[in-house]
Coordinates of all heavy atoms in Angstrom, one line a residue:
M698 N 0.8 -1.2 0.0 CA 0.0 0.0 0.0 C 0.9 1.3 0.0 O 0.6 2.2 -0.8 CB -0.9 0.0 1.2 CG -1.9 1.1 1.2 SD -3.1 1.1 -0.2 CE -3.6 2.7 -0.2
L699 N 1.9 1.3 0.8 CA 2.8 2.4 0.9 C 3.5 2.6 -0.4 O 3.7 3.8 -0.8 CB 3.8 2.2 2.1 CG 4.7 3.4 2.4 CD1 3.9 4.5 3.0 CD2 5.8 3.0 3.3
R700 N 3.9 1.5 -1.0 CA 4.7 1.6 -2.2 C 3.8 2.2 -3.3 O 4.3 3.0 -4.1 CB 5.0 0.2 -2.6 CG 6.5 0.2 -3.3 CD 6.8 -1.2 -3.7 NE 7.4 -1.2 -5.1 CZ 7.6 -2.3 -5.8 NH1 7.4 -3.4 -5.2 NH2 8.2 -2.1 -7.0
L701 N 2.5 1.8 -3.3 CA 1.6 2.4 -4.3 C 1.5 3.9 -4.1 O 1.5 4.6 -5.1 CB 0.2 1.7 -4.1 CG -0.8 2.0 -5.1 CD1 -0.6 1.3 -6.5 CD2 -2.2 1.7 -4.7
L702 N 1.4 4.3 -2.9 CA 1.2 5.7 -2.6 C 2.5 6.5 -3.0 O 2.3 7.5 -3.6 CB 1.0 5.9 -1.1 CG 0.4 7.2 -0.5 CD1 -1.1 7.1 -0.9 CD2 0.5 7.3 1.0
L703 N 3.7 5.9 -2.8 CA 4.9 6.6 -3.2 C 4.9 6.7 -4.7 O 5.4 7.7 -5.2 CB 6.1 5.8 -2.6 CG 6.3 6.0 -1.1 CD1 7.5 5.1 -0.7 CD2 6.8 7.4 -0.8
T704 N 4.5 5.6 -5.4 CA 4.6 5.6 -6.8 C 3.6 6.7 -7.4 O 4.0 7.4 -8.3 CB 4.1 4.2 -7.4 OG1 4.9 3.2 -6.7 CG2 4.3 4.1 -8.9
L705 N 2.4 6.8 -6.7 CA 1.5 7.8 -7.1 C 2.0 9.2 -6.9 O 1.9 10.1 -7.8 CB 0.2 7.7 -6.3 CG -1.1 8.3 -6.8 CD1 -1.5 7.5 -8.0 CD2 -2.2 8.2 -5.8
L706 N 2.7 9.5 -5.8 CA 3.3 10.8 -5.5 C 4.4 11.1 -6.6 O 4.5 12.2 -7.0 CB 3.9 10.8 -4.1 CG 2.9 11.0 -2.9 CD1 3.6 10.8 -1.6 CD2 2.3 12.4 -3.0
L707 N 5.2 10.0 -6.9 CA 6.2 10.3 -7.9 C 5.6 10.6 -9.2 O 6.2 11.5 -9.9 CB 7.0 8.9 -8.0 CG 8.4 9.0 -8.8 CD1 9.4 9.9 -8.0 CD2 8.9 7.6 -9.0
L708 N 4.6 9.9 -9.6 CA 3.9 10.2 -10.9 C 3.3 11.7 -10.9 O 3.5 12.3 -12.0 CB 2.7 9.2 -11.1 CG 3.2 7.9 -11.6 CD1 2.0 6.9 -11.7 CD2 3.7 8.0 -13.0
I709 N 2.8 12.1 -9.8 CA 2.2 13.5 -9.7 C 3.4 14.4 -9.9 O 3.3 15.4 -10.6 CB 1.5 13.7 -8.4 CG1 0.2 13.0 -8.4 CG2 1.2 15.2 -8.2 CD1 -0.4 12.7 -7.0
F710 N 4.5 14.2 -9.2 CA 5.7 15.0 -9.3 C 6.2 15.1 -10.7 O 6.5 16.3 -11.2 CB 6.7 14.5 -8.4 CG 8.0 15.3 -8.3 CD1 8.1 16.5 -7.6 CD2 9.1 14.9 -9.0 CE1 9.3 17.3 -7.7 CE2 10.3 15.6 -9.0 CZ 10.4 16.8 -8.3
I711 N 6.3 14.0 -11.4 CA 6.7 13.9 -12.8 C 5.8 14.7 -13.7 O 6.3 15.5 -14.6 CB 7.0 12.4 -13.3 CG1 8.2 11.8 -12.4 CG2 7.2 12.4 -14.7 CD1 8.3 10.4 -12.6
A712 N 4.5 14.4 -13.5 CA 3.6 15.1 -14.4 C 3.6 16.6 -14.2 O 3.6 17.4 -15.2 CB 2.2 14.7 -14.0
R713 N 3.8 17.1 -13.0 CA 3.9 18.5 -12.7 C 5.1 19.1 -13.4 O 5.1 20.2 -14.0 CB 4.0 18.8 -11.2 CG 2.6 18.9 -10.6 CD 2.6 19.2 -9.2 NE 3.2 20.6 -8.9 CZ 3.4 21.1 -7.7 NH1 3.1 20.4 -6.7 NH2 3.8 22.3 -7.7
A714 N 6.3 18.4 -13.2 CA 7.5 18.9 -13.9 C 7.4 18.9 -15.4 O 7.8 19.8 -16.1 CB 8.7 18.0 -13.5
F715 N 6.7 17.9 -15.9 CA 6.5 17.8 -17.4 C 5.7 18.9 -17.9 O 6.0 19.5 -18.9 CB 5.8 16.4 -17.6 CG 5.5 16.2 -19.0 CD1 6.4 15.8 -20.0 CD2 4.2 16.3 -19.5 CE1 6.1 15.7 -21.3 CE2 3.8 16.3 -20.8 CZ 4.8 15.8 -21.7
W716 N 4.6 19.2 -17.1 CA 3.7 20.4 -17.6 C 4.4 21.7 -17.6 O 4.0 22.6 -18.3 CB 2.3 20.3 -17.0 CG 1.6 19.2 -17.6 CD1 1.1 18.1 -17.0 CD2 1.0 19.2 -18.9 NE1 0.4 17.3 -17.9 CE2 0.3 18.0 -19.1 CE3 1.2 20.0 -20.0 CZ2 -0.3 17.6 -20.3 CZ3 0.5 19.7 -21.2 CH2 -0.2 18.5 -21.4
Q717 N 5.3 21.8 -16.5 CA 6.0 23.1 -16.5 C 6.9 23.3 -17.6 O 7.0 24.4 -18.2 CB 6.8 23.1 -15.2 CG 6.0 23.6 -14.0 CD 6.8 23.7 -12.7 OE1 8.0 23.4 -12.7 NE2 6.1 23.8 -11.5
I718 N 7.6 22.2 -18.0 CA 8.5 22.2 -19.1 C 7.6 22.5 -20.4 O 7.9 23.4 -21.3 CB 9.3 20.9 -19.2 CG1 10.3 20.8 -18.2 CG2 10.0 20.9 -20.7 CD1 10.8 19.4 -17.9
V719 N 6.5 21.8 -20.6 CA 5.7 22.0 -21.8 C 5.2 23.4 -21.9 O 5.2 24.1 -22.9 CB 4.5 21.0 -21.8 CG1 3.5 21.3 -22.9 CG2 5.0 19.5 -22.0
G720 N 4.7 23.9 -20.8 CA 4.2 25.3 -20.7 C 5.2 26.3 -21.1 O 5.0 27.2 -21.8
G721 N 6.5 26.1 -20.6 CA 7.6 26.9 -21.0 C 7.9 26.9 -22.5 O 8.2 28.0 -23.1
V722 N 7.9 25.7 -23.1 CA 8.2 25.5 -24.5 C 7.1 26.2 -25.3 O 7.4 27.0 -26.2 CB 8.3 24.0 -24.8 CG1 8.3 23.8 -26.3 CG2 9.5 23.4 -24.2
I723 N 5.8 26.1 -24.9 CA 4.7 26.7 -25.6 C 4.9 28.2 -25.6 O 4.8 28.9 -26.6 CB 3.3 26.2 -25.1 CG1 3.1 24.8 -25.4 CG2 2.2 27.1 -25.6 CD1 2.0 24.2 -24.6
E724 N 5.2 28.8 -24.4 CA 5.3 30.2 -24.3 C 6.5 30.7 -25.1 O 6.4 31.8 -25.7 CB 5.5 30.6 -22.8 CG 4.4 31.5 -22.3 CD 4.6 31.7 -20.8 OE1 5.5 32.4 -20.5 OE2 3.7 31.3 -20.0
A725 N 7.6 30.0 -25.1 CA 8.7 30.3 -25.9 C 8.5 30.3 -27.4 O 8.9 31.2 -28.2 CB 9.9 29.4 -25.6
A726 N 7.7 29.3 -27.8 CA 7.2 29.1 -29.2 C 6.3 30.3 -29.6 O 6.3 30.7 -30.8 CB 6.6 27.9 -29.4
Q727 N 5.6 30.8 -28.7 CA 4.6 32.0 -29.1 C 5.4 33.3 -29.1 O 4.8 34.3 -29.3 CB 3.5 31.9 -28.0 CG 2.5 30.9 -28.3 CD 1.4 30.8 -27.2 OE1 1.6 31.3 -26.1 NE2 0.3 30.2 -27.5
G728 N 6.6 33.2 -28.6 CA 7.5 34.4 -28.7 C 7.1 35.4 -27.6 O 7.3 36.6 -27.6
K729 N 6.5 34.9 -26.4 CA 6.2 35.8 -25.3 C 7.4 36.0 -24.4 O 8.0 35.0 -23.9 CB 5.1 35.1 -24.4 CG 3.7 35.5 -24.9 CD 2.7 34.9 -23.9 CE 1.3 34.6 -24.4 NZ 0.5 33.8 -23.5
P730 N 7.8 37.2 -24.3 CA 8.9 37.3 -23.4 C 8.5 37.1 -21.9 O 7.3 37.5 -21.5 CB 9.4 38.8 -23.5 CG 8.2 39.5 -24.1 CD 7.3 38.4 -24.8
V731 N 9.3 36.5 -21.1 CA 8.9 36.3 -19.7 C 9.2 37.6 -18.9 O 10.3 38.1 -18.8 CB 9.8 35.2 -19.1 CG1 9.5 34.9 -17.7 CG2 9.7 33.9 -20.0
R732 N 8.0 38.1 -18.4 CA 8.1 39.3 -17.7 C 7.6 39.0 -16.2 O 6.7 38.5 -16.0 CB 7.2 40.4 -18.3 CG 7.9 41.1 -19.4 CD 6.9 42.0 -20.1 NE 7.3 42.4 -21.4 CZ 6.5 42.8 -22.4 NH1 5.3 42.9 -22.2 NH2 7.0 43.1 -23.5
R733 N 8.4 39.6 -15.3 CA 8.0 39.4 -13.9 C 8.0 40.8 -13.3 O 8.8 41.6 -13.6 CB 9.1 38.6 -13.2 CG 8.9 37.1 -13.5 CD 10.0 36.3 -12.9 NE 10.4 35.2 -13.7 CZ 9.7 34.0 -13.8 NH1 8.6 33.8 -13.1 NH2 10.1 33.0 -14.5
G734 N 7.0 41.0 -12.5 CA 6.8 42.3 -11.7 C 6.4 43.5 -12.5 O 7.1 44.5 -12.5
G735 N 5.3 43.3 -13.3 CA 4.7 44.5 -13.9 C 5.4 44.8 -15.3 O 6.1 44.1 -15.9
R736 N 5.1 46.0 -15.7 CA 5.5 46.6 -17.0 C 7.0 46.8 -17.0 O 7.7 47.1 -16.0 CB 4.8 47.8 -17.4 CG 5.2 49.0 -16.5 CD 4.1 50.1 -16.7 NE 4.3 51.0 -15.6 CZ 5.1 52.1 -15.6 NH1 5.8 52.3 -16.8 NH2 5.2 52.9 -14.7
P737 N 7.6 46.5 -18.2 CA 9.0 46.8 -18.3 C 9.3 48.3 -18.4 O 8.5 49.1 -19.0 CB 9.4 46.2 -19.7 CG 8.1 46.1 -20.4 CD 7.1 46.1 -19.4
E738 N 10.4 48.7 -17.9 CA 10.7 50.1 -17.9 C 12.0 50.4 -18.7 O 13.0 49.8 -18.5 CB 11.0 50.6 -16.5 CG 10.0 51.6 -15.9 CD 10.3 52.0 -14.5 OE1 9.8 51.3 -13.6 OE2 11.0 53.0 -14.2
A739 N 11.8 51.3 -19.6 CA 12.9 51.8 -20.4 C 13.7 52.8 -19.7 O 13.2 53.9 -19.4 CB 12.5 52.3 -21.8
V740 N 14.9 52.4 -19.4 CA 15.7 53.3 -18.6 C 16.5 54.2 -19.5 O 17.3 53.7 -20.3 CB 16.8 52.5 -17.6 CG1 17.6 53.5 -16.9 CG2 16.0 51.7 -16.7
K741 N 16.2 55.5 -19.5 CA 16.8 56.5 -20.3 C 18.0 57.1 -19.6 O 17.9 57.5 -18.5 CB 15.8 57.6 -20.6 CG 16.2 58.4 -21.9 CD 15.2 59.4 -22.2 CE 15.8 60.6 -22.8 NZ 14.9 61.8 -22.6
L742 N 19.2 57.0 -20.2 CA 20.4 57.5 -19.5 C 20.6 59.0 -19.9 O 20.3 59.3 -21.0 CB 21.5 56.6 -19.9 CG 21.5 55.2 -19.3 CD1 22.8 54.5 -19.8 CD2 21.4 55.1 -17.9
V743 N 21.1 59.7 -18.9 CA 21.5 61.1 -19.2 C 23.0 61.2 -18.9 O 23.6 60.6 -18.1 CB 20.7 62.0 -18.2 CG1 19.2 62.1 -18.7 CG2 20.6 61.6 -16.9
K744 N 23.5 62.3 -19.6 CA 25.0 62.5 -19.4 C 25.3 63.5 -18.4 O 24.7 64.6 -18.3 CB 25.5 63.0 -20.8 CG 27.0 62.8 -21.0 CD 27.4 63.2 -22.4 CE 28.9 63.0 -22.7 NZ 29.3 63.5 -24.0
D745 N 26.3 63.1 -17.6 CA 26.9 64.0 -16.6 C 27.6 65.0 -17.4 O 28.6 64.7 -18.0 CB 27.8 63.1 -15.7 CG 28.4 63.9 -14.6 OD1 28.7 65.1 -14.8 OD2 28.7 63.3 -13.5
P746 N 27.3 66.4 -17.3 CA 27.9 67.4 -18.0 C 29.3 67.7 -17.5 O 30.2 68.2 -18.2 CB 27.1 68.6 -17.9 CG 26.3 68.4 -16.7 CD 26.2 66.8 -16.4
V747 N 29.8 67.1 -16.5 CA 31.1 67.4 -15.9 C 32.1 66.4 -16.3 O 33.1 66.8 -16.9 CB 31.1 67.5 -14.3 CG1 32.5 67.7 -13.7 CG2 30.1 68.7 -13.8
C748 N 31.8 65.1 -16.1 CA 32.8 64.1 -16.4 C 32.4 63.2 -17.6 O 33.1 62.5 -18.2 CB 33.0 63.2 -15.3 SG 31.6 62.1 -14.8
G749 N 31.1 63.4 -18.1 CA 30.7 62.7 -19.3 C 30.1 61.4 -19.1 O 29.8 60.6 -20.1
T750 N 29.9 60.9 -17.9 CA 29.5 59.6 -17.5 C 27.9 59.6 -17.8 O 27.2 60.5 -17.4 CB 29.7 59.2 -16.1 OG1 31.2 59.3 -15.9 CG2 29.3 57.9 -15.7
F751 N 27.5 58.5 -18.3 CA 26.0 58.3 -18.5 C 25.4 57.7 -17.2 O 25.9 56.7 -16.7 CB 25.6 57.4 -19.6 CG 25.9 58.2 -21.0 CD1 27.1 58.1 -21.6 CD2 24.8 58.9 -21.5 CE1 27.2 58.9 -22.8 CE2 25.0 59.6 -22.6 CZ 26.2 59.6 -23.4
V752 N 24.4 58.4 -16.7 CA 23.8 57.9 -15.4 C 22.3 57.8 -15.6 O 21.7 58.5 -16.4 CB 24.1 59.0 -14.3 CG1 25.6 59.0 -13.9 CG2 23.7 60.4 -14.6
A753 N 21.7 57.0 -14.8 CA 20.2 56.8 -14.8 C 19.6 57.9 -13.8 O 20.1 58.1 -12.7 CB 19.8 55.4 -14.2
P754 N 18.7 58.7 -14.4 CA 18.2 59.8 -13.6 C 17.6 59.5 -12.3 O 17.7 60.2 -11.3 CB 17.0 60.3 -14.5 CG 17.4 60.0 -15.9 CD 18.1 58.7 -15.7
R755 N 17.1 58.2 -12.1 CA 16.5 57.9 -10.8 C 17.6 57.7 -9.8 O 17.4 57.9 -8.6 CB 15.8 56.6 -10.9 CG 14.3 56.8 -11.2 CD 13.5 55.6 -11.6 NE 13.3 54.6 -10.5 CZ 12.8 53.4 -10.6 NH1 12.4 53.1 -11.8 NH2 12.7 52.6 -9.6
A756 N 18.8 57.3 -10.2 CA 19.9 57.0 -9.2 C 20.8 58.2 -9.2 O 21.6 58.3 -8.3 CB 20.7 55.8 -9.7
A757 N 20.7 59.2 -10.1 CA 21.7 60.2 -10.1 C 21.3 61.4 -9.3 O 20.1 61.6 -8.8 CB 21.8 60.7 -11.5
L758 N 22.3 62.3 -9.0 CA 22.1 63.5 -8.3 C 21.6 64.5 -9.3 O 22.2 64.6 -10.4 CB 23.4 64.0 -7.6 CG 23.9 63.1 -6.5 CD1 25.4 63.4 -6.3 CD2 23.1 63.3 -5.3
S759 N 20.7 65.5 -9.0 CA 20.3 66.4 -10.0 C 20.3 67.8 -9.6 O 20.1 68.1 -8.4 CB 18.8 66.0 -10.5 OG 17.9 66.1 -9.5
V760 N 20.4 68.7 -10.5 CA 20.3 70.1 -10.2 C 19.4 70.7 -11.4 O 19.6 70.5 -12.5 CB 21.7 70.9 -10.3 CG1 21.6 72.4 -10.4 CG2 22.5 70.5 -9.1
T761 N 18.4 71.5 -10.9 CA 17.6 72.1 -11.9 C 17.9 73.7 -11.9 O 17.7 74.4 -10.9 CB 16.0 71.9 -11.5 OG1 15.9 70.5 -11.4 CG2 15.1 72.5 -12.6
T762 N 18.3 74.1 -13.1 CA 18.6 75.6 -13.2 C 17.8 76.1 -14.4 O 17.8 75.5 -15.5 CB 20.1 75.7 -13.4 OG1 20.6 74.8 -14.5 CG2 20.9 75.5 -12.2
S763 N 17.1 77.2 -14.2 CA 16.3 77.8 -15.1 C 15.5 76.9 -16.0 O 15.6 77.0 -17.3 CB 17.0 78.9 -15.9 OG 18.1 78.3 -16.6
G764 N 14.8 75.9 -15.5 CA 13.9 75.1 -16.2 C 14.5 73.8 -16.7 O 13.8 72.8 -17.0
S765 N 15.9 73.7 -16.8 CA 16.5 72.5 -17.3 C 17.1 71.7 -16.1 O 17.8 72.3 -15.2 CB 17.4 72.7 -18.4 OG 18.5 73.6 -18.0
T766 N 17.0 70.4 -16.2 CA 17.6 69.6 -15.1 C 18.8 68.9 -15.6 O 18.9 68.4 -16.7 CB 16.6 68.6 -14.6 OG1 15.4 69.3 -14.3 CG2 17.1 67.8 -13.4
H767 N 19.9 69.0 -14.8 CA 21.1 68.3 -15.1 C 21.4 67.2 -14.1 O 21.1 67.4 -13.0 CB 22.3 69.3 -15.1 CG 22.1 70.5 -16.0 ND1 22.4 70.3 -17.4 CD2 21.7 71.7 -15.8 CE1 22.1 71.4 -18.0 NE2 21.7 72.3 -17.0
Y768 N 21.9 66.0 -14.5 CA 22.2 64.9 -13.7 C 23.7 64.6 -13.6 O 24.4 64.8 -14.5 CB 21.5 63.8 -14.3 CG 20.0 63.9 -14.2 CD1 19.3 64.3 -15.4 CD2 19.2 63.6 -13.1 CE1 17.9 64.6 -15.4 CE2 17.8 63.8 -13.1 CZ 17.2 64.2 -14.2 OH 15.9 64.4 -14.2
F769 N 24.0 64.3 -12.3 CA 25.5 64.0 -12.1 C 25.6 62.7 -11.4 O 24.8 62.2 -10.7 CB 26.0 65.1 -11.2 CG 25.7 66.5 -11.7 CD1 24.6 67.2 -11.3 CD2 26.6 67.1 -12.6 CE1 24.3 68.5 -11.8 CE2 26.4 68.4 -13.1 CZ 25.2 69.0 -12.8
C770 N 26.8 62.1 -11.8 CA 27.2 60.8 -11.2 C 27.5 60.8 -9.7 O 27.4 59.9 -9.0 CB 28.3 60.2 -12.0 SG 29.9 60.9 -11.7
S771 N 28.1 61.9 -9.3 CA 28.4 62.0 -7.8 C 28.3 63.5 -7.3 O 28.2 64.5 -8.1 CB 29.9 61.6 -7.7 OG 30.7 62.5 -8.4
E772 N 28.4 63.6 -6.0 CA 28.3 64.9 -5.4 C 29.4 65.7 -5.8 O 29.3 67.0 -5.9 CB 28.3 64.7 -3.8 CG 28.2 66.0 -3.0 CD 26.9 66.7 -3.3 OE1 25.8 66.1 -3.2 OE2 27.0 67.9 -3.5
A773 N 30.6 65.1 -6.0 CA 31.8 65.9 -6.5 C 31.5 66.6 -7.7 O 31.9 67.8 -8.0 CB 33.0 65.0 -6.6
C774 N 30.9 65.9 -8.8 CA 30.5 66.4 -10.1 C 29.5 67.6 -10.0 O 29.6 68.5 -10.6 CB 30.1 65.4 -11.0 SG 31.4 64.4 -11.6
R775 N 28.6 67.3 -9.1 CA 27.5 68.3 -8.8 C 28.1 69.6 -8.4 O 27.8 70.7 -8.8 CB 26.4 67.8 -8.0 CG 25.2 68.7 -7.8 CD 24.1 68.1 -7.3 NE 24.2 67.9 -5.8 CZ 23.2 67.4 -5.0 NH1 22.0 67.3 -5.5 NH2 23.4 67.3 -3.8
S776 N 28.9 69.5 -7.3 CA 29.5 70.7 -6.7 C 30.4 71.4 -7.7 O 30.5 72.7 -7.9 CB 30.1 70.5 -5.4 OG 31.2 69.5 -5.5
K777 N 31.1 70.6 -8.5 CA 32.1 71.2 -9.6 C 31.3 72.0 -10.6 O 31.7 73.0 -11.0 CB 32.7 70.0 -10.3 CG 34.2 70.2 -10.7 CD 34.8 68.9 -11.1 CE 36.2 69.0 -11.6 NZ 36.7 67.7 -12.1
Y778 N 30.1 71.4 -11.0 CA 29.3 72.1 -11.9 C 28.7 73.4 -11.4 O 28.8 74.4 -12.1 CB 28.1 71.2 -12.3 CG 27.1 71.8 -13.4 CD1 27.5 71.6 -14.7 CD2 26.0 72.5 -13.1 CE1 26.7 72.1 -15.7 CE2 25.2 72.9 -14.1 CZ 25.5 72.8 -15.4 OH 24.7 73.3 -16.4
G779 N 28.3 73.4 -10.2 CA 27.8 74.6 -9.5 C 28.9 75.7 -9.5 O 28.6 76.9 -9.6
R780 N 30.1 75.4 -9.3 CA 31.2 76.3 -9.2 C 31.7 76.8 -10.6 O 32.6 77.5 -10.8 CB 32.3 75.7 -8.5 CG 32.1 75.8 -6.9 CD 33.4 75.4 -6.1 NE 33.3 73.9 -5.8 CZ 34.4 73.1 -6.3 NH1 35.3 73.5 -7.0 NH2 34.3 71.8 -6.0
G781 N 31.1 76.2 -11.7 CA 31.4 76.6 -13.0 C 32.5 75.7 -13.6 O 33.3 76.1 -14.4
Ligands
LIG1311 ZN1 30.5 62.7 -13.0

């Protein structure tokens, strides 16, 4: 009886693994990109005017002067820009 139960559990396990693989293959065949955690975000990079490094606005330090915003890779670059 126990052996039968174990065999049944093993079959369920194999069937689940099998369907996961089949599902993955079908999704790949349909050309669906796998996305996790909502919509994809296009990260636009901006150039640090002091050293020329490209930085992501969300992670960068910024200064807004007369309507335009400038982004910097570090505090050193930001203060350098302020001093001209
Ligand atoms: Zn910089």
